[in-house]
Amino acid sequence: MNESKDAHNQQNYETPEISSLEHEKWELLQQAIQAQHERMYIENELKKQQQEIKKLQQKLAEMRRPPLIIGTVVDIIEQENLQVRTSGGPQFIIKIPEKIEPQSIKAGTRVAMNKDTMALVRVLTPSKDVIVRGGEVIEKPSTSYDDIGGLEDQIKEIIESVELPLTKPQLFKKVGIEAPKGILLIGSPGTGKTLIAQAVAHHTNATFIHIVGSELVQKYIGEGSRLVRELFMLAREKSPSIVFIDELDAIGAKRLESGTTGDREVQRTLMQLLAELDGFDPRGDVRVIAATNRPDILDNALMRPGRFDRIIEVPMPDVKGLQAIFKIHTRRMKVSKDVDIEHLANRLNGHSGAVVKGVCTEAGMFAIRNDRYTVKMADFEAAVKKLLKEPHEGSRPGVMFG
Ligand code: ATP
């Protein structure tokens, strides 16, 4: 009887105490697990924040870094030193740092240097320069032959002299003739010379590299010829390609006996262009097209066989041509039925395709000003008056769209 009472007391005594302690222990364990998780989370967060701080510090350091100056290597001295001319003019002798491969540097290479110490920081890639200095590279221009009005004969000629050598070079091989190396488009401003060059690049899937001659005339000696060299390097890299040099007269004018340093520099650029033309394969996949509206002042050396030996004249459009150009530029416009293209073409007789484009854009502007989507004949009439600077009520002589 006593024994069973003891057992009963023990059970009574142990159960609530132990179970409450057990429960407390379990709760503490849960808290410990929770705290462990929180610690891991905080550690992760800390890592993230530290990375963010590092990134911001790097950005800040980059912002604080003084700008680099550009120089051109003039000579390599004893394999480890460079004679560099800075873009400001003065020349320095600097050491090639270990991290830069000496083979990547030649005379003419452009380098970036620390502004204060003149230490060489990096070697610049050549092709960027051409684009940065006013050149334009279009992988595949969207202009096609259908976008050119009234120049059927010129298109035929460009197909023969540029498209066929690129797309069917074997034809020339079989017949045993060389394709013309360079094509010169001559004609007044705004007659569609650039359009023709773009369209031929479109139809041959060639990269279109456009540079304006005046961009090749540089202030510092040797810069222009280097740009020409880089232009052709880029063209070979991107081949098949079409190099289009607009305003060729800026570098290709007749050479004078006595010239200033500036004239001599332009001549050096021209000589480099001639050397590039002489040096490349006529059946290769780089074609050169140049344009000028001053063929009379071009140096004869440019027109010798094997250089710009095919000349295509791009005339001012006649009335039929103007009509065709009007149709092209109104293709995407909503024009009302009263628009008489024949009449408009007659009105613009003697003007270029660029003027037609300007008239169409201006007519569209008149419609917008009057809250209309449809362009009427009256808008075109007003646009013609404005662009030809004929007096028109309430309007000032306008700016022409190119
Ligand atoms: P520049 O000698 O001034 O460089 P350009 O002869 O190269 O002139 P483009 O740039 O080809 O002239 O033409 C200027 C604009 O005029 C073109 O964008 C095009 O819209 C229009 N244009 C000129 N001629 C034609 C044409 N025959 N057909 C269609 N559009 C034309």
Side-chain angles (χ1 to χ4, degrees):
M1 171 78 194
N2 258 354
E3 239 174 49
S4 79
K5 198 177 171 186
D6 275 358
H8 176 76
N9 276 348
Q10 202 174 0
Q11 215 176 20
N12 271 352
Y13 166 76
E14 274 179 8
T15 308
E17 280 288 299
I18 289 173
S19 65
S20 119
L21 282 172
E22 285 283 343
H23 184 73
E24 221 170 283
K25 181 182 159 196
W26 182 83
E27 267 186 348
L28 283 171
L29 256 173
Q30 291 304 313
Q31 279 175 16
I33 292 170
Q34 175 83 9
Q36 192 82 7
H37 283 163
E38 273 171 20
R39 186 178 145 194
M40 270 160 67
Y41 173 77
I42 288 167
E43 275 175 359
N44 256 341
E45 274 301 294
L46 186 71
K47 242 188 220 159
K48 265 196 224 158
Q49 296 300 339
Q50 278 169 339
Q51 277 170 353
E52 189 64 19
I53 290 172
K54 214 170 165 186
K55 254 196 235 162
L56 288 173
Q57 276 172 339
Q58 274 171 354
K59 265 192 194 166
L60 207 62
E62 233 155 73
M63 280 170 150
R64 283 197 183 129
R65 196 175 297 156
L68 300 173
I69 63 167
I70 294 176
T72 307
V73 176
V74 178
D75 199 5
I76 300 167
I77 304 165
E78 291 154 6
Q79 290 184 6
E80 53 181 33
N81 291 310
L82 299 175
Q83 180 184 342
V84 178
R85 191 190 58 244
T86 57
S87 37
Q91 300 198 5
F92 297 89
I93 291 185
I94 57 171
K95 221 173 147 55
I96 305 176
E98 263 174 32
K99 63 175 180 140
I100 287 176
E101 290 267 323
Q103 292 94 307
S104 63
I105 305 174
K106 287 191 235 91
T109 303
R110 281 177 349 123
V111 291
M113 297 177 294
N114 182 298
K115 192 170 130 293
D116 303 319
T117 61
M118 291 294 157
L120 201 159
V121 179
R122 64 192 170 100
V123 177
L124 299 175
T125 47
S127 50
K128 294 244 166 64
D129 204 30
V130 177
I131 308 163
V132 169
R133 299 202 184 198
E136 179 191 26
V137 177
I138 309 174
E139 293 301 334
K140 191 185 172 188
S142 55
T143 310
S144 80
Y145 296 137
D146 294 340
D147 298 318
I148 306 173
L151 295 174
E152 289 77 18
D153 291 344
Q154 288 71 16
I155 292 174
K156 218 180 274 166
E157 271 199 74
I158 208 95
I159 291 177
E160 278 169 18
S161 47
V162 184
E163 194 175 316
L164 286 185
L166 275 174
T167 53
K168 294 183 181 149
Q170 71 281 4
L171 262 182
F172 289 80
K173 212 171 179 179
K174 270 189 191 156
V175 180
I177 53 164
E178 306 252 297
K181 260 193 185 173
I183 283 81
L184 183 63
L185 301 175
I186 58 174
S188 306
T191 44
K193 299 183 290 296
T194 312
L195 278 191
I196 292 181
Q198 281 180 337
V200 75
H202 170 88
H203 288 273
T204 50
N205 285 325
T207 308
F208 182 68
I209 304 173
H210 182 180
I211 188 119
V212 181
S214 53
E215 296 288 343
L216 295 172
V217 180
Q218 297 291 321
K219 198 165 155 198
Y220 297 105
I221 293 172
E223 289 270 288
S225 47
R226 190 178 50 75
L227 273 176
V228 171
R229 221 170 27 241
E230 287 178 4
L231 177 70
F232 281 87
M233 260 166 73
L234 178 69
R236 280 187 287 266
E237 205 180 282
K238 299 252 175 203
S239 67
S241 59
I242 287 174
V243 176
F244 179 60
I245 308 172
D246 209 352
E247 291 177 24
L248 179 67
D249 43 284
I251 52 162
K254 283 190 180 82
R255 281 171 276 184
L256 303 167
E257 281 296 312
S258 66
T260 60
T261 328
D263 291 339
R264 281 197 295 275
E265 172 55 13
V266 173
Q267 281 164 21
R268 219 168 280 139
T269 309
L270 172 62
M271 298 300 282
Q272 185 64 41
L273 174 66
L274 297 179
E276 292 290 344
L277 282 171
D278 291 344
F280 72 75
D281 177 6
R283 294 194 194 112
D285 46 12
V286 176
R287 305 267 105 201
V288 188
I289 305 177
T292 181
N293 29 35
R294 292 296 312 273
D296 53 311
I297 61 163
L298 285 187
D299 197 304
N300 290 336
L302 272 167
M303 262 86 95
R304 257 183 233 142
R307 290 173 179 170
F308 289 102
D309 47 9
R310 175 66 71 102
I311 297 175
I312 303 177
E313 200 182 333
V314 184
M316 282 296 243
D318 56 13
V319 174
K320 263 195 156 168
L322 287 167
Q323 281 184 31
I325 302 171
F326 256 116
K327 282 186 187 141
I328 289 167
H329 289 289
T330 48
R331 236 175 1 204
R332 281 185 216 98
M333 290 168 78
K334 234 178 151 188
V335 289
S336 72
K337 283 203 182 106
D338 68 333
V339 173
D340 183 351
I341 284 181
E342 218 180 303
H343 173 78
L344 289 170
N346 276 314
R347 288 273 275 118
L348 289 186
N349 198 1
H351 291 277
S352 70
V355 176
V356 176
K357 189 193 177 186
V359 164
C360 293
T361 312
E362 196 59 49
M365 292 305 294
F366 276 117
I368 291 174
R369 249 171 257 162
N370 290 310
D371 260 350
R372 275 186 278 109
Y373 295 123
T374 310
V375 189
K376 294 181 181 171
M377 186 62 180
D379 300 322
F380 279 99
E381 292 278 12
V384 170
K385 270 188 189 160
K386 184 173 175 184
L387 290 191
L388 302 187
K389 296 200 174 122
E390 288 173 9
H392 169 72
E393 283 159 49
S395 74
R396 296 181 290 115
V399 184
M400 195 152 77
F401 292 87

